[in-house]
Amino acid sequence: MTLLVFGHKNPDTDSICSAISLAHLKNQLGESAIPYALGEVRKEAQYVLDYFKVNVPEVLENVKIQVKDLSYDKVNPLTPCASILEAFNFMENAQVKTLPVISNDGDFLGLVTMQEIAKSLLHQHFSTVHTSLSNICKNLDGSVLVNCSDDIKGRVVTLSFSIEGVMDILQEGDIAIVGSRYDIIEYAIDTKVKLLILTGKTELPDHLLALAKQNGVSIVSVNSDTYKASNIINQCNYLSDIICTQNLVTFNENDYADDVKEIMLSTNLRAYPIIDNNNKLLGLLSRRHLLNPTKKNVILVDHNEYAQSADGIEQTNIVEIVDHHKIGGISTDVPMSFRVMPVGCTCTIIYQMYKENNVVVPHHIAGLLLSAILSDTLLFKSPTTTEMDKKACYELSKIANVDMESYAMEMFKVGTSLDEYSIQEIVNMDFKEFNMSGKRVGIGQVFTLDIDSIFAKKDQFLSYINSTDYDMLVLAITDIIKEGSYLLYKANDSLISEAFNVNAQQGVFAEGVVSRKKQLVPNLTATVKNI
C-alpha cells in the first residue's frame, strides 16, 4: 500500500522539504510513497521549490477512511437486455441478493433484487413478453431457425388445443408456443405471429421456413417441452421491467466512512452502489464492509502531536515518525518506527537516513534538505542548532552547489515578506496548539525582516488574538538579524515577564528568543505550571 508522507498543519519549509525528501528516499528503497502538504505552501518554501525545480506537493485535506479504502464487493453487473432468469441464476450462484445494472456504455442505471425477481415469478403470466431471441435460446436451450428480428415483444399464446380453438384466439404479432403440430404451425405463420417457439426440438421443412421468412415470423426451436417453455418464457423478459431506479442510495468512492455509516443507520437497504464521478459503477457496499476498513498508511515528519496533524489521523496506520520536537500525545495500536533526535531540523535526520541506507542524494533533494535546515536554524543562529546540522549543511551545499549565506538571506528575504497576508493569516501562518497544565495554549511564530509593518497594525493583531478561544496565545515575531522576538500575547503580563525575563508589555522584545521548540514552549510550559 502507498505511504502518505506529510508534515504538520500550516506547513513550514521543513515540513514541506522533509516530506518530499523522505518520500523520495522511501521510493529509492523500493517502497511506494507520495509526499503531501497539510495546507498551502508558504512563500519561503515556494521559493525553495522553484529554485530547485521541484513540484509543489498536493494538499491533503484529511486522512479519514473513505469508501475507496473499504473492501467492498466488486461485482459483475448486468445490462437491461439480460433476462430475469439470467439474473436469478447469477444471484443464486454468487449467493447475493442484489445485482447492479449498467448501460452498454457502463453508466450505472439501477439495481435488481431477489425480491423483485420473486414478484415477477409469482406473477409470471404477463399479458406480453418483451425480450430477445438470444435470451430465449439461452434460457430454453434453443437455436434460431428464422431470425426476422432479435427484439421480440408480444402476447404469449400456448397452442395446445384444436385448430379451431387456435383460430379463435391467435393474432398477428403473438408469441406462439407449439410442439410438432404442423397444421397449427403453418396457420401461425400465415397469421404472421411475431415468434414461433417450437418445443421438443421440432424441425421444419424448407417450405415452411421460407414462408416464415417471407411473413416476417421468427422461429426458435427449443429443447424444452411445451409446459416448461410456457412457464419459462415469462422469465426471459428483459431486466428493464424490474430494475429499481427509485429511492436508491449511492455512494461516491471519495465519500467518508463516517458519513456512510450515518446514512446506513437511517436507511434499511441491503446494498449500496458505489459510483465514480462519471457515474461508472465500482461495486456494492454493505454494512459488513464497515467492520474492518483498510486504513491509510502514513508517515509523519516534523511533528508528532494529534492537534498538529491531519484531520482523521486517528483513523490511520502511523507506520513511522521522523521528528525533532518533543514527544507529543500520538499513540498507535501496533509498533512503528519512531525517530526523534535533538537537532535543529527534521531534514538533518532525513539526510542522515540517506547516508545510513547508502542512497545517493540528488541535486534537487540536497537543495531541499539544505534549505530546510538553514530555515529552521536561522542560518545557525537558533539555539536549536547542533553540530550535526552544521555538518549536514556544509555537505549538502556542495551537492546543491550554492553559497549558504547568500542563498539563505535571499530565501529569508522572500519568505518574510508579509504584505500580502491578513492579520489572521499571519497569526496562523506557523501556529501550533499545546496543552499546558490543562490550559489550551496557542503559539504562533513568524520570521520577518520588516518588523515595522507588523507594529503598524499592532492593535489589529491584538484584537484578533484576544478574540480567539485559547486560554493563552502568544505570537512571536522573530527578527533574524537582531536574534530575538517581539511578543504579542493573550496572557497575563506577569506570566510573560516570568517566562522570558522581560518587563512585559505588548510588543516587548525578548532577546535571544528565536526558537519555539527550545524557548517559547518550554519557558511557557514551566511558567504556567508554576503559576
Side-chain angles (χ1 to χ4, degrees):
M1 182 178 290
T2 300
L3 297 168
L4 283 59
V5 188
F6 51 85
H8 53 72
K9 293 177 179 177
N10 304 310
D12 56 10
T13 302
D14 187 21
S15 270
I16 296 296
C17 293
S18 58
I20 296 173
S21 300
L22 185 55
H24 177 269
L25 174 61
K26 293 296 180 182
N27 287 321
Q28 294 301 112
L29 294 174
E31 298 183 75
S32 176
I34 301 175
Y36 288 95
L38 298 189
E40 186 178 352
V41 173
R42 294 187 218 157
K43 287 188 292 185
E44 182 183 275
Q46 186 65 63
Y47 171 82
V48 171
L49 297 176
D50 291 342
Y51 189 96
F52 291 101
K53 296 180 174 57
V54 177
N55 293 329
V56 177
E58 181 182 342
V59 174
L60 189 64
E61 297 296 335
N62 60 67
V63 288
K64 296 177 181 178
I65 295 174
Q66 296 172 278
V67 170
K68 61 185 176 184
D69 299 318
L70 305 176
S71 298
Y72 55 82
D73 293 330
K74 307 292 177 62
V75 295
N76 293 319
L78 297 176
T79 60
C81 61
S83 69
I84 293 174
L85 185 57
E86 182 182 354
F88 175 81
N89 290 333
F90 189 100
M91 295 165 77
E92 277 285 286
N93 293 333
Q95 291 295 295
V96 296
K97 303 296 183 182
T98 305
L99 271 183
V101 182
I102 62 172
S103 69
N104 291 330
D105 295 328
D107 293 330
F108 174 71
L109 297 178
L111 296 174
V112 169
T113 66
M114 192 63 84
Q115 181 181 11
E116 290 301 316
I117 290 178
K119 287 180 181 178
S120 73
L121 296 180
L122 289 173
H123 305 89
Q124 57 179 294
H125 293 295
F126 300 127
S127 58
T128 61
V129 166
H130 188 195
T131 187
S132 64
L133 289 181
S134 56
N135 279 343
I136 293 172
C137 289
K138 183 186 300 183
N139 295 326
L140 290 172
D141 187 20
S143 57
V144 178
L145 301 183
V146 178
N147 185 351
C148 295
S149 173
D150 188 61
D151 188 65
I152 303 296
K153 184 176 183 180
R155 184 183 62 146
V156 178
V157 180
T158 302
L159 306 181
S160 58
F161 34 89
S162 66
I163 185 67
E164 290 79 11
V166 169
M167 293 172 68
D168 286 339
I169 66 168
L170 193 62
Q171 300 174 8
E172 182 179 347
D174 283 344
I175 299 172
I177 303 174
V178 63
S180 55
R181 301 178 64 186
Y182 293 97
D183 56 340
I184 291 179
I185 291 172
E186 186 170 0
Y187 178 79
I189 294 174
D190 287 334
T191 306
K192 296 182 179 180
V193 296
K194 183 71 174 178
L195 172 67
L196 262 177
I197 300 176
L198 307 180
T199 60
K201 278 295 181 180
T202 298
E203 296 184 359
L204 293 184
D206 291 342
H207 76 279
L208 287 181
L209 294 175
L211 181 61
K213 190 169 185 179
Q214 179 182 333
N215 287 351
V217 178
S218 296
I219 301 178
V220 171
S221 179
V222 302
N223 196 39
S224 307
D225 59 30
T226 301
Y227 175 79
K228 181 177 181 181
S230 62
N231 278 279
I232 291 181
I233 184 62
N234 302 98
Q235 301 169 36
C236 295
N237 257 315
Y238 285 136
L239 274 184
S240 53
D241 288 341
I242 61 169
I243 296 176
C244 301
T245 59
Q246 302 297 318
N247 302 318
L248 296 179
V249 178
T250 64
F251 295 119
N252 186 277
E253 60 180 339
N254 294 315
D255 289 341
Y256 298 113
D258 289 342
D259 297 333
V260 168
K261 189 181 299 182
E262 289 297 319
I263 294 173
M264 284 186 173
L265 288 173
S266 62
T267 56
N268 189 31
L269 303 177
R270 188 181 297 275
Y272 300 80
I274 304 169
I275 57 176
D276 64 14
N277 293 330
N278 297 314
N279 198 39
K280 303 300 181 186
L281 179 75
L282 299 176
L284 292 179
L285 184 69
S286 60
R287 287 172 171 79
R288 61 185 171 82
H289 296 124
L290 296 172
L291 298 177
N292 189 26
T294 301
K295 299 180 179 180
K296 294 179 172 69
N297 288 336
V298 303
I299 296 178
L300 311 186
V301 294
D302 199 31
H303 74 294
N304 69 95
E305 297 197 35
Y306 283 119
Q308 299 171 12
S309 199
D311 293 341
I313 190 65
E314 67 282 351
Q315 298 181 17
T316 67
N317 287 323
I318 302 175
V319 300
E320 187 172 357
I321 294 177
V322 181
D323 193 14
H324 68 127
H325 296 96
K326 71 179 182 69
I327 296 176
I330 283 183
S331 61
T332 60
D333 296 329
V334 296
M336 65 165 177
S337 175
F338 191 88
R339 184 161 182 167
V340 176
M341 296 178 66
V343 292
C345 180
T346 307
C347 280
T348 301
I349 307 171
I350 294 174
Y351 175 54
Q352 184 65 26
M353 293 170 68
Y354 270 86
K355 294 201 290 185
E356 291 170 358
N357 287 280
N358 296 316
V359 175
V360 175
V361 181
H363 172 267
H364 70 288
I365 294 296
L368 300 189
L369 295 170
L370 172 66
S371 301
I373 301 171
L374 292 174
S375 176
D376 262 19
T377 65
L378 300 178
L379 191 55
F380 312 140
K381 293 179 180 179
S382 170
T384 62
T385 307
T386 66
E387 289 301 316
M388 188 174 176
D389 297 305
K390 293 179 180 178
K391 184 175 185 293
C393 282
Y394 289 129
E395 293 176 1
L396 289 166
S397 64
K398 294 178 182 178
I399 303 172
N401 194 28
V402 296
D403 178 78
M404 279 193 296
E405 290 199 16
S406 59
Y407 171 76
M409 293 311 296
E410 186 61 30
M411 180 178 68
F412 291 148
K413 182 179 178 181
V414 172
T416 61
S417 175
L418 302 174
D419 293 339
E420 64 188 78
Y421 296 106
S422 67
I423 301 296
Q424 182 175 348
E425 287 172 334
I426 293 172
V427 173
N428 291 283
M429 189 172 289
D430 187 2
F431 188 89
K432 293 184 178 179
E433 181 180 323
F434 302 90
N435 185 306
M436 299 181 182
S437 300
K439 300 292 185 181
R440 186 165 170 250
V441 180
I443 302 177
Q445 185 176 25
V446 291
F447 297 90
T448 183
L449 300 179
D450 186 11
I451 303 299
D452 292 339
S453 66
I454 297 288
F455 277 92
K457 302 176 182 178
K458 184 172 77 169
D459 291 341
Q460 297 175 51
F461 274 98
L462 290 174
S463 176
Y464 172 73
I465 289 171
N466 286 315
S467 71
T468 65
D469 57 1
Y470 286 93
D471 296 314
M472 184 169 68
L473 191 152
V474 176
L475 174 64
I477 305 109
T478 302
D479 188 321
I480 300 169
I481 304 301
K482 293 181 66 175
E483 298 186 39
S485 296
Y486 298 89
L487 305 178
L488 298 176
Y489 51 88
K490 175 185 179 181
N492 293 327
D493 287 343
S494 58
L495 188 148
I496 299 298
S497 295
E498 182 176 339
F500 302 106
N501 194 25
V502 295
N503 183 14
Q505 57 182 316
Q506 295 294 349
V508 64
F509 184 72
E511 187 174 353
V513 176
V514 294
S515 170
R516 174 168 47 200
K517 181 178 69 174
K518 281 203 168 183
Q519 294 166 316
L520 291 167
V521 173
N523 288 14
L524 288 171
T525 300
T527 305
V528 170
K529 184 177 181 180
N530 290 338
I531 292 177

